[in-house]
Structures are given as C-alpha cells and as structure tokens.
Amino acid sequence: MFAPLLSLPISENRYPLLNLSPQRQRQKTLETIVAILLELAEHQPVLFILEDLHWTDPTTLELLGLLVEQVPTTAIATLLTCRPHFQPAWHHRSYITEMTLNHLSPTQVAQIVTRMTDGKTFPAEVLQQIIAKTDGVPLFVEEMTKAGASKSMPKISPLFGSTCMP
C-alpha cells in the first residue's frame, strides 16, 4: 500500500497490486497510518506533534480527525499548533485542551537576544528594531538575531539600517 506513495518498485509476483480506487486507497492509507500509531501506543506512550495546522492540506486534516477520535482511549499525547483563526471540526472535544500563546513582550525579546549573542551587544536602536520587526514571535527573534550577529553578513546594516557593535 505504501510502496506506490513512496515510488518504490515492487514485484507484482511477490506483492499483488491492490485494485482500489484512488479514494479508497487514500482512505486505507490513512486508516493504516492511524493503526500503526495505535499499535505503537500499545507498547509505549507516543508523542505526536504537528505544527502550523493552519497550513495543513485536507488529507492531513482528515488523518488528524481519525487520530483525534482515538486519542481518549490510547497512550498518544497529541500536540498541535496553529494560528488562532484556524478552527478544525474537532477542536471543541472535551478531551482537547486549547492554549493560547501570546507574543513575547519586549523584555522577553531582549532576553532572547542577549542569550543568543554570547556577550555581544547590539546598539539600543538595533535591539528596538528587532523588537519592532519580530512582533514578539520567537522564531523571528532568533532568526533576526542570528542574521544580525552573523559574521557572514555585512554587519547588520541591510536588515536594520545600522551597524552592530561587537
């Protein structure tokens, strides 16, 4: 069943082809993935993580729907992240806990920058630009700090219109 999905050559003599419609093959594939996860969870706890659900395709959402139905009876901890506007059909189940993570405060952004720069300090105006341009999103804070501290970049001027003081 998975060989065609992975473009793996298979011997028809050893493994007969499944004569399923594309829709039925898709459904069987999703069911098999869920069955594999359930089998793993019978032997040890499973942590299933999927980020950025707001960018997820319909087939993955269908897989998640099948998995979410099974979660209360299994040893599967599921961690899903998404933007607030994303509301899957199953988000109000009693066994689902939703948490809202707020943007970082300017103080928290400054703390991340300080920890990432290993003692190098940016001028105050550069730090303020990092705070303003990243909108408190941790990934953006890290990436802009790396870009600003990178020796391969011509100081920091292309990003911030300023120079970095080592």
Side-chain angles (χ1 to χ4, degrees):
M1 179 178 312
F2 290 107
L5 288 174
L6 302 172
S7 300
L8 298 173
I10 58 171
S11 169
E12 290 182 30
N13 296 334
R14 188 167 182 188
Y15 301 103
L17 292 176
L18 299 174
N19 290 321
L20 303 173
S21 69
Q23 179 62 26
R24 184 65 185 133
Q25 181 165 351
R26 183 174 144 287
Q27 186 63 35
K28 290 287 287 176
T29 301
L30 296 177
E31 291 169 358
T32 302
I33 292 169
V34 170
I36 290 169
L37 289 169
L38 295 175
E39 176 69 24
L40 288 170
E42 286 184 19
H43 300 288
Q44 65 184 22
V46 172
L47 176 60
F48 183 87
I49 301 173
L50 184 62
E51 296 187 86
D52 298 326
L53 287 182
H54 49 278
W55 290 326
T56 305
D57 63 277
T59 301
T60 302
L61 288 176
E62 185 176 345
L63 171 67
L64 286 173
L66 293 171
L67 183 61
V68 165
E69 290 174 11
Q70 302 297 321
V71 165
T73 61
T74 65
I76 299 177
T78 306
L79 176 64
L80 308 170
T81 68
C82 63
R83 293 191 178 160
H85 69 283
F86 180 79
Q87 299 292 314
W90 34 260
H91 81 284
H92 285 304
R93 303 277 171 102
S94 62
Y95 51 87
I96 292 178
T97 301
E98 292 184 27
M99 297 174 62
T100 300
L101 303 178
N102 297 317
H103 292 245
L104 299 175
S105 69
T107 302
Q108 292 169 319
V109 171
Q111 289 171 341
I112 289 176
V113 171
T114 300
R115 289 184 184 135
M116 288 186 65
T117 56
D118 294 327
K120 295 178 187 171
T121 57
F122 291 143
E125 72 270 7
V126 173
L127 179 58
Q128 288 307 311
Q129 288 180 16
I130 291 173
I131 290 168
K133 291 182 183 218
T134 61
D135 193 30
V137 177
L139 175 65
F140 298 158
V141 173
E142 290 177 353
E143 292 304 314
M144 290 196 76
T145 302
K146 285 178 195 174
S150 171
K151 291 180 172 73
S152 66
M153 302 235 358
K155 288 298 181 190
I156 196 168
S157 53
L159 290 175
F160 303 106
S162 178
T163 57
C164 177
M165 304 295 233

